[in-house]
Amino acid sequence: MSEENLEIVRGAFAVVTIPGDPQPMIAASGPGFEMHLTGVSGEPVYYTGVSGIYEFFRDVAESWESFRFEATDLRDLGDRVLVLGDVRGRGRVSGVEVADRWGWIIELKGGRAESLHGFLDECEAVEAAGLRS
């Protein structure tokens, strides 16, 4: 099952761009899918279900003039996948260029993504996954 989980994540979460197509993420997610992220001001942001995925894409498009997250390292953790990758973008209002390394932990059940926890720091994601950075 873990190889299947890696393939699901590769197909739906390994590259996220704005503007972009939310359909691969929607197709790979269960009905109660939850995203737990950190907003541009450092506040926690939550999205739930299909409507939450659409809202996520809208919010990112409102905050970023350009945005791309591309996974460079996927690690099988059984029912979870650790995704580490490069983020590049430009803030819509600030014009600030961002080039950083972020991490996501995606929990899967029955071949569908159940949750995504995002980290603005790759080392935090690795530690949250119970691994050493």
Side-chain angles (χ1 to χ4, degrees), residues 2-133:
S2 58
E3 184 59 39
E4 180 182 337
N5 287 346
L6 287 171
E7 288 306 312
I8 291 165
V9 170
R10 273 189 200 100
F13 299 92
V15 177
V16 175
T17 62
I18 301 300
D21 181 6
Q23 290 306 316
M25 192 180 290
I26 290 167
S29 299
F33 178 72
E34 296 181 351
M35 296 176 78
H36 303 265
L37 305 170
T38 303
V40 292
S41 302
E43 76 283 1
V45 180
Y46 303 100
Y47 301 97
T48 304
V50 171
S51 63
I53 294 171
Y54 281 116
E55 183 181 1
F56 163 74
F57 274 80
R58 279 191 305 270
D59 287 353
V60 174
E62 286 178 10
S63 299
W64 297 87
E65 181 179 316
S66 64
F67 178 89
R68 180 178 180 87
F69 175 84
E70 185 168 357
T72 57
D73 185 4
L74 280 76
R75 300 184 194 179
D76 173 19
L77 305 174
D79 62 350
R80 299 177 303 151
V81 174
L82 173 63
V83 180
L84 303 174
D86 297 318
V87 65
R88 303 246 185 285
R90 177 192 303 268
R92 183 166 301 284
V93 174
S94 69
V96 171
E97 295 272 345
V98 173
D100 210 350
R101 297 274 301 164
W102 289 1
W104 293 349
I105 297 174
I106 301 171
E107 184 174 348
L108 297 105
K109 182 177 179 185
R112 306 290 296 268
E114 293 291 315
S115 67
L116 181 152
H117 291 265
F119 301 86
L120 300 181
D121 180 278
E122 176 182 56
C123 292
E124 286 180 28
V126 170
E127 289 176 15
L131 305 173
R132 293 180 189 229
S133 52

